[in-house]
Amino acid sequence: MEWTFLDTWIVVVGMLGAMSCALLGNYLVLRRMSMMGDAISHAVLPGLAIAFLVSGSRESLPMLIGAILIGVLTTFFIHGIDRLSGLDRGASMGVVFTTLFALGLILIRQAADHVDLDPGCVLYGAIELTPLDTYLWFDWEIPQAALTNGAMLLINLIFVLLFYKELKITSFDPALATTIGINANVMQYILMTLVAATTIAAFESVGSILVIAMLIVPGAAAHLLTDRLGLMLLISLVFAAVSALVGHIGAITIPKWFGFEDTSTAGMMAFMAGVLFGGVLLFAPRYGLISRLLHQLLLGIKIVRDDILGFLYRYQELASADAKPVQVSQVREALKAGFSVDLSLWDLARKNMVKRVEDRLTLTSNGAATGRNLIRSHRLWETYLCNKMGYCDADMHRHAHQLEHYTDTKLQTELDQITGNPKFDPHQRRIPEP
């Protein structure tokens, strides 16, 4: 891969555009308004086209004014339809943004006959050409798109820092914000106005079709990694920057593997953002699919392990002095499990809680203490459910069996006190001492 000075500027422009979108996108994700970003990014097209037709040029200021006006109107239209029609917000967004997007396409087609405008550039971006349109700043030739996206990122950053508390409260609890004097609607309209402005700033980099990826994907990925807003904002910025860098590298390298010259950098940036999100979705420590599956597996093994200890304790409790140790097959039959029993027995033997001789099992002193504690919790729960809740039917055992796995020493002590320090459970079985 041959890296040039132009490649560096392409990546810089992509990073700035992606980061400016991602910063505000976090609040769209938190407010469950991801489609609002999509709606605004498509609905601003009529504003662009009208600005082109009126001004006859592609100057940034007319474009920005037109886009902001349409972006604010889009927000009003969506809220108006949502309140007056009784439709859900998703339907309201769909009606507004598809109508305005279609109108924008018609107007852009008309504008293209009078203004030097490429509709494909508006839709798909032209980030590869941004280093050619430069601005001289202290003897430095800086791409105009870098200055535009950088300025938008700075404006968004200042807005987030100045109104961090207000944005946080209105995102999580608008009703609370209203009670303490923060106008949630005003904050939302300001946010939507900046989203519209950011969309225009990013048009030259990623186009209206792909800007939604940078608005939503980095924030969504960050939300899977943390529940802290400040850290979420930081992670989304890093995610957006990495997506831009990896996307451009992928655009100039991956197509050659298949015999092509190259592909759209903006498209590859959005695609790489999706790939990175897929990795987060799978491997996020708390909310990742694999992490949750692993957690469920470990929880299942823990429950089976507890059930084995409880079964062995009950067996020893009822068995006579000369009774033989319980067989593994009896445990499998009682728990109605196979592989999970073997895996749990291996773990119990490793922790010195169960001693296995051939196909028979006995509890060690550690295992007996743990089993005794489980049975104590189980019988205290049965006593509580029956004596205090009046729940004495056959399901009492099933519910107590579920609760015993999550009962710590403190809760067990409280159960003992609430039920009056009982010696026997409702089935007249002795409750083990602590």
Side-chain angles (χ1 to χ4, degrees):
M1 179 185 69
E2 184 179 351
W3 191 268
T4 65
F5 184 71
L6 294 181
D7 290 310
T8 301
W9 275 123
I10 290 173
V11 170
V12 169
V13 171
M15 283 183 173
L16 293 173
M19 293 168 71
S20 63
C21 290
L23 192 59
L24 299 182
N26 287 281
Y27 295 101
L28 297 180
V29 172
L30 292 175
R31 292 165 181 256
R32 300 183 182 275
M33 296 175 61
S34 300
M35 278 296 293
M36 182 66 84
D38 191 12
I40 290 178
S41 67
H42 287 73
V44 294
L45 285 181
L48 279 177
I50 293 172
F52 289 144
L53 290 172
V54 171
S55 66
S57 69
R58 294 189 301 172
E59 293 296 325
S60 298
L61 184 59
M63 291 170 56
L64 189 60
I65 294 174
I68 289 176
L69 290 177
I70 292 296
V72 174
L73 286 176
T74 300
T75 306
F76 276 110
F77 288 156
I78 291 173
H79 281 291
I81 294 176
D82 187 26
R83 293 177 180 178
L84 297 177
S85 68
L87 295 172
D88 64 84
R89 179 161 294 185
S92 301
M93 290 180 186
V95 171
V96 173
F97 99 74
T98 53
T99 302
L100 291 178
F101 185 57
L103 176 62
L105 290 177
I106 294 171
L107 292 177
I108 282 180
R109 187 68 179 177
Q110 180 67 27
D113 295 332
H114 304 284
V115 184
D116 181 18
L117 171 65
D118 179 11
C121 177
V122 175
L123 296 177
Y124 311 115
I127 194 172
E128 296 86 355
L129 302 179
T130 54
L132 304 180
D133 183 12
T134 60
Y135 177 84
L136 189 62
W137 186 70
F138 292 108
D139 296 330
W140 284 80
E141 288 190 358
I142 302 175
Q144 184 67 41
L147 294 175
T148 303
N149 288 327
M152 203 67 244
L153 175 60
L154 181 61
I155 292 171
N156 292 343
L157 186 59
I158 292 173
F159 170 68
V160 169
L161 292 176
L162 288 179
F163 298 98
Y164 181 82
K165 181 184 71 174
E166 290 80 0
L167 286 169
K168 183 176 182 179
I169 296 175
T170 55
S171 296
F172 289 102
D173 197 338
L176 175 62
T178 302
T179 59
I180 62 177
I182 299 174
N183 194 318
N185 288 330
V186 170
M187 292 305 302
Q188 180 164 319
Y189 286 128
I190 295 175
L191 178 64
M192 293 303 108
T193 300
L194 285 176
V195 168
T198 303
T199 299
I200 296 304
F203 264 177
E204 191 172 8
S205 303
V206 297
S208 65
I209 298 296
L210 299 175
V211 71
I212 187 60
M214 296 307 175
L215 274 171
I216 302 305
V217 178
H223 194 31
L224 290 175
L225 291 171
T226 182
D227 292 326
R228 296 171 56 190
L229 179 58
L231 186 58
M232 178 180 171
L233 294 172
L234 180 60
I235 292 175
S236 69
L237 292 176
V238 174
F239 187 97
V242 171
S243 297
L245 175 61
V246 177
H248 181 61
I249 294 174
I252 60 179
T253 56
I254 294 179
K256 295 180 180 179
W257 302 348
F258 303 96
F260 301 102
E261 186 63 27
D262 55 19
T263 189
S264 168
T265 294
M268 188 60 76
M269 285 179 180
F271 175 73
M272 286 301 177
V275 171
L276 292 175
F277 174 82
V280 171
L281 181 63
L282 288 175
F283 300 106
R286 184 174 179 183
Y287 298 112
L289 295 179
I290 292 178
S291 300
R292 284 189 289 177
L293 287 174
L294 182 60
H295 174 74
Q296 292 175 359
L297 175 62
L298 295 176
L299 179 61
I301 293 175
K302 176 186 179 302
I303 291 174
V304 173
R305 190 175 63 220
D306 289 348
D307 289 344
I308 292 173
L309 293 175
F311 177 81
L312 293 177
Y313 183 86
R314 288 190 184 95
Y315 181 86
Q316 292 185 2
E317 189 180 42
L318 298 174
S320 59
D322 58 346
K324 292 184 178 180
V326 66
Q327 291 181 321
V328 175
S329 59
Q330 291 177 269
V331 177
R332 290 197 188 100
E333 183 178 353
L335 301 185
K336 295 181 175 58
F339 173 75
S340 58
V341 169
D342 294 330
L343 186 59
S344 299
L345 284 174
W346 172 82
D347 190 38
L348 288 170
R350 182 179 64 86
K351 294 181 177 180
N352 192 32
M353 290 188 175
V354 168
K355 184 178 181 181
R356 182 170 181 173
V357 180
E358 295 181 351
D359 65 335
R360 294 189 178 272
L361 303 169
T362 56
L363 288 173
T364 65
S365 58
N366 291 336
T370 304
R372 179 189 184 92
N373 190 59
L374 283 165
I375 298 303
R376 174 174 169 79
S377 296
H378 180 95
R379 292 175 182 172
L380 283 173
W381 274 116
E382 286 191 335
T383 305
Y384 174 79
L385 291 172
C386 184
N387 296 350
K388 296 298 181 180
M389 302 295 293
Y391 195 78
C392 300
D393 60 14
D395 275 349
M396 174 181 64
H397 172 79
R398 179 171 62 87
H399 292 304
H401 177 260
Q402 293 173 341
L403 293 167
E404 70 183 33
H405 300 290
Y406 306 98
T407 305
D408 57 14
T409 303
K410 181 180 178 181
L411 180 56
Q412 191 183 92
T413 302
E414 291 179 0
L415 283 172
D416 191 31
Q417 293 173 352
I418 291 172
T419 53
N421 306 114
K423 300 298 181 183
F424 297 90
D425 69 2
H427 303 288
Q428 296 306 307
R429 295 172 301 193
R430 180 173 291 279
I431 298 176
E433 295 295 328

